[in-house]
């Protein structure tokens, strides 16, 4: 257990560094709108001026522009003012979500695992940078996590648990439609909790579930009014478009470097019919499909450039950020391995929580593998697997206190060597992936 003074020092240090990282990206991004940000800003401004049901936008759902519109009421409607208030809202909801993850899985601030979660969550440069953009990723990711946490920690005999959980999930879906995929693992987790604890109250579940379609009604009404179409999400079939690109793209990025093309395409290293979708590739050549599918999942874990919109092909932050990320994934996967290996040591409640994280993560990654991946698609997985890093470091902390010095040094060396090998393999695969663009050559 950490002492009071060490907890206070750690909290102050981590928060201060997080604010420094945030201030760097805030200064870089607050005064400018990049690509997709322009669309969200003007749709939000349109909602402010003409109302929620007059949005003639085929690729964006209403809720994120609505958030922008509501927050804009406290500004002078200038671009920088609107962006500043949204940025701070996103940053604080992100920090709050990380804190809730730590509290849900480790409960007390004396636990080393609690502070491990806070450390990796508060200091993630990719996610902090993402809070400084007018994009849907952070809010949607946080609401998905908050929905899951409410299910895991709440009393399922009460209406409140399901109502809040489904409201959070409905908000996530209406901010970012791809969040709909999380409904399926959510149902599995509810069934699992009912099977293990027999605590799920069906009437409460039904009442809570009704809140999701209620949140769809404004979008349905707008789509009928604007496009004469009874659809509850975006007007265009964006997933069909992205699953088609997934057969020929390993990854996708956007560049804002002067005199460079905006599209950064990570192409497959073999010939594929440009009209073929990822599912067509599965039927046409299963081996090629497996290769592309695995690289898509790898790309969801290897985020590469910290900037969502790449403004330098060779920044030092690319190396520093990747080292942070790869160390996290090594610790996280080690935590998963240890949890599975010693699963009989966990109480039923703790086991249920960690199994639920794996269910959400596996199902999401299985879905991501079928679409063209951008770095930001991996954000939900980071927060979902964050507790496993805390679990691993919690066990390592107690091991250091309990074992002989010679044993800890030997095992420590083994883990350090394994981590270095893992990091080098990740860097090698990541740099090879960069080379498929034809515009980035780290070698």
């Amino acid at each position: 257990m950490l002492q009071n003074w060490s907890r206070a020092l750690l909290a102050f240090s981590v928060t201060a560094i997080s604010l420094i990282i945030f201030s760097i990206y805030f200064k870089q991004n607050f005064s400018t709108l990049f690509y997709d940000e322009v669309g969200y800003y003007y749709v939000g401004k349109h909602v402010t001026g003409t109302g929620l049901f007059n949005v003639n936008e085929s690729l964006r759902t209403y809720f994120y522009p609505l958030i922008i519109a509501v927050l804009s009421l406290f500004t002078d409607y200038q671009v920088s003012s609107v962006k500043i208030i949204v940025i701070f809202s996103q940053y604080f909801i992100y920090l709050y979500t990380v804190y809730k993850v730590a509290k849900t899985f480790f409960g007390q601030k004396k636990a080393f695992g609690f502070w491990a979660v806070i450390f990796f969550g508060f200091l993630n440069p990719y996610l902090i940078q993402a809070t400084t953009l007018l994009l849907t990723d952070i809010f949607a990711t946080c609401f998905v996590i908050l929905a899951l946490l409410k299910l895991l920690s709440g009393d399922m005999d009460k209406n409140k648990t399901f109502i809040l959980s489904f409201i959070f999930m409905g908000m996530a879906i209406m901010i970012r439609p791809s969040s709909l995929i999380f409904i399926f693992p959510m149902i599995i987790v509810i069934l699992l909790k009912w099977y293990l604890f027999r605590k799920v109250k069906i009437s409460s579940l039904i009442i809570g579930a009704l809140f999701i379609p209620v949140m769809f009604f404004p979008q349905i009404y707008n789509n009928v009014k604007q496009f004469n179409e009874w659809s509850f999400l975006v007007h265009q079939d964006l997933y069909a478009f992205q699953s088609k690109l997934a057969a020929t793209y390993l990854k996708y990025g956007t560049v804002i470097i002067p005199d460079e093309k905006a599209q950064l395409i990570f192409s497959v290293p073999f010939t594929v019919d440009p009209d073929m979708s990822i599912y067509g590739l599965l039927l046409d050549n299963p081996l090629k499909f497996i290769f592309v599918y695995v690289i898509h999942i790898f790309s969801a874990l290897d985020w590469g450039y910290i900037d969502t919109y790449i403004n330098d092909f060779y920044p030092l932050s690319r190396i520093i950020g990747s080292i942070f990320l790869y160390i996290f994934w090594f610790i996280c996967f080690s935590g998963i391995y240890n949890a599975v290996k010693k699963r009989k040591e966990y109480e039923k409640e703790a086991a249920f929580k960690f199994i639920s994280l794996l269910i959400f993560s596996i199902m999401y990654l299985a879905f991501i593998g079928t679409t063209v991946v951008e770095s930001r698609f991996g954000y939900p997985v980071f927060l979902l697997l964050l507790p496993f890093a805390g679990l691993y470091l919690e066990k390592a902390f107690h091991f250091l206190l309990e074992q002989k010095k010679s044993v800890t040094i030997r095992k420590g060396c083994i883990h350090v060597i394994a981590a270095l090998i893992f990091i080098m393999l990740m860097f090698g695969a990541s740099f090879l992936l960069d080379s498929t663009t034809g515009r980035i050559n780290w070698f």
Side-chain angles (χ1 to χ4, degrees):
M1 297 292 182
L2 294 176
Q3 300 299 317
N4 289 338
W5 67 268
S6 58
R7 295 201 305 271
L9 179 61
L10 186 58
F12 174 79
S13 301
V14 171
T15 303
I17 296 172
S18 180
L19 287 170
I20 290 171
I21 297 171
F22 172 74
S23 65
I24 292 171
Y25 290 111
F26 173 79
K27 183 178 180 181
Q28 175 180 302
N29 294 328
F30 85 93
S31 61
T32 306
L33 293 179
F34 305 101
Y35 295 96
D36 288 345
E37 289 186 288
V38 176
Y40 287 115
Y41 170 76
Y42 282 109
V43 173
K45 190 173 182 180
H46 185 75
V47 168
T48 303
T50 65
L52 181 60
F53 304 116
N54 293 300
V55 181
N56 189 15
E57 171 57 60
S58 62
L59 288 175
R60 293 178 175 87
T61 43
Y62 77 88
F63 203 76
Y64 190 65
L66 178 61
I67 291 174
I68 294 174
V70 171
L71 292 176
S72 297
L73 296 176
F74 303 95
T75 71
D76 56 4
Y77 294 96
Q78 296 300 313
V79 171
S80 59
S81 302
V82 171
K83 194 168 182 181
I84 286 171
I85 196 168
V86 175
I87 285 173
F88 276 94
S89 300
Q90 292 180 157
Y91 178 63
F92 288 118
I93 194 69
Y94 169 68
L95 295 186
Y96 173 75
T97 304
V98 172
Y99 169 77
K100 290 294 290 184
V101 170
K103 186 177 180 181
T104 300
F105 283 86
F106 298 96
Q108 51 186 329
K109 295 181 181 179
K110 293 181 180 180
F112 192 83
F114 177 95
W115 291 104
V117 169
I118 294 296
F119 176 86
F120 279 110
F122 276 37
L123 300 186
N124 186 315
Y126 298 92
L127 288 169
I128 292 174
Q129 189 273 152
T131 67
T132 64
L133 296 172
L134 284 185
L135 296 176
T136 59
D137 308 279
I138 288 298
F139 268 139
T141 295
C142 290
F143 288 137
V144 166
I145 303 303
L146 292 173
L148 174 61
L149 295 179
K150 193 61 185 176
L151 277 184
L152 298 183
S153 61
D155 187 347
M156 291 199 181
D157 286 339
K158 297 181 179 179
N159 294 345
K160 179 182 176 182
T161 298
F162 286 110
I163 289 173
L164 288 176
S165 184
F166 280 100
I167 285 177
F168 283 138
M169 188 59 73
M171 291 165 69
I173 294 169
M174 295 316 302
I175 289 172
R176 192 169 182 82
S178 60
S179 301
L180 185 66
I181 190 64
F182 288 109
I183 287 291
F184 303 104
M186 191 177 190
I187 293 171
I188 293 173
V189 167
I190 292 171
L191 292 174
L192 182 62
K193 191 161 189 176
W194 174 82
Y195 174 76
L196 292 175
F197 306 104
R198 306 291 179 178
K199 288 184 177 180
V200 177
K201 188 177 180 181
I202 301 301
S203 60
S204 299
L205 172 61
I206 294 172
I207 291 171
L210 289 175
F211 276 83
I212 289 185
V214 167
M215 298 192 72
F216 288 159
F217 288 160
Q219 190 68 42
I220 294 172
Y221 180 82
N222 186 75
N223 287 351
V224 172
K225 183 178 179 181
Q226 299 295 330
F227 307 109
N228 194 29
E229 177 181 284
W230 286 85
S231 58
F232 64 93
L233 289 175
V234 292
H235 172 58
Q236 293 187 24
D237 191 347
L238 190 57
Y239 177 70
F241 173 72
Q242 290 190 316
S243 63
K244 180 180 178 181
L245 292 180
T248 52
Y249 290 15
L250 296 175
K251 190 176 177 180
Y252 178 83
T254 302
V255 173
I256 57 169
I257 303 172
D259 302 321
E260 289 278 356
K261 294 180 181 178
Q263 286 187 318
L264 184 63
I265 299 170
F266 299 72
S267 304
V268 295
F270 41 75
T271 302
V272 177
D273 185 342
D275 294 324
M276 184 176 293
S277 72
I278 190 70
Y279 300 106
L281 185 62
L282 170 62
L283 298 175
D284 181 69
N285 194 316
L287 290 179
K288 288 183 178 179
F289 167 82
I290 292 172
F291 173 81
V292 172
Y293 189 78
V294 169
I295 297 300
H296 284 165
I297 293 175
F298 171 78
S299 298
L301 301 177
D302 174 49
W303 304 345
Y305 298 87
I306 291 179
D307 301 297
T308 301
Y309 299 111
I310 300 168
N311 56 24
D312 187 349
F313 284 139
Y314 304 99
L316 180 61
S317 63
R318 166 71 166 92
I319 306 297
I320 297 172
S322 293
I323 291 174
F324 173 92
L325 194 63
Y326 299 159
I327 289 174
F328 168 78
W329 288 130
F330 176 80
I331 293 173
C332 176
F333 295 149
S334 298
I336 294 173
Y337 173 78
N338 287 342
V340 173
K341 183 179 179 180
K342 299 179 180 179
R343 58 189 178 277
K344 294 182 180 179
E345 298 179 6
Y346 294 94
E347 296 179 357
K348 187 186 290 187
E349 184 73 29
F352 163 70
K353 288 181 178 180
F354 284 105
I355 289 171
S356 298
L357 294 179
L358 289 177
I359 290 171
F360 263 68
S361 302
I362 291 171
M363 292 191 70
Y364 178 69
L365 286 172
F367 164 73
I368 283 298
T370 65
T371 186
V372 58
V373 175
E374 295 181 50
S375 297
R376 51 202 175 107
F377 291 3
Y379 294 169
V381 186
F382 181 91
L383 288 178
L384 285 169
L385 296 184
L386 190 53
F388 286 102
L391 182 66
Y392 175 81
L393 292 176
E394 175 89 13
K395 297 291 184 182
F397 178 73
H398 288 296
F399 180 83
L400 288 172
L401 294 178
E402 296 167 2
Q403 296 295 324
K404 295 180 180 179
K405 186 176 181 180
S406 59
V407 176
T408 57
I409 291 175
R410 185 177 72 251
K411 288 205 169 184
C413 289
I414 292 173
H415 280 249
V416 169
I417 292 170
L420 290 174
I421 293 172
F422 177 83
I423 291 170
M424 286 189 291
L425 289 174
M426 290 288 285
F427 264 122
S430 182
F431 290 167
L432 284 173
L433 188 59
D434 274 358
S435 69
T436 64
T437 65
R439 299 162 67 185
I440 309 171
N441 183 13
W442 286 89
F443 303 106

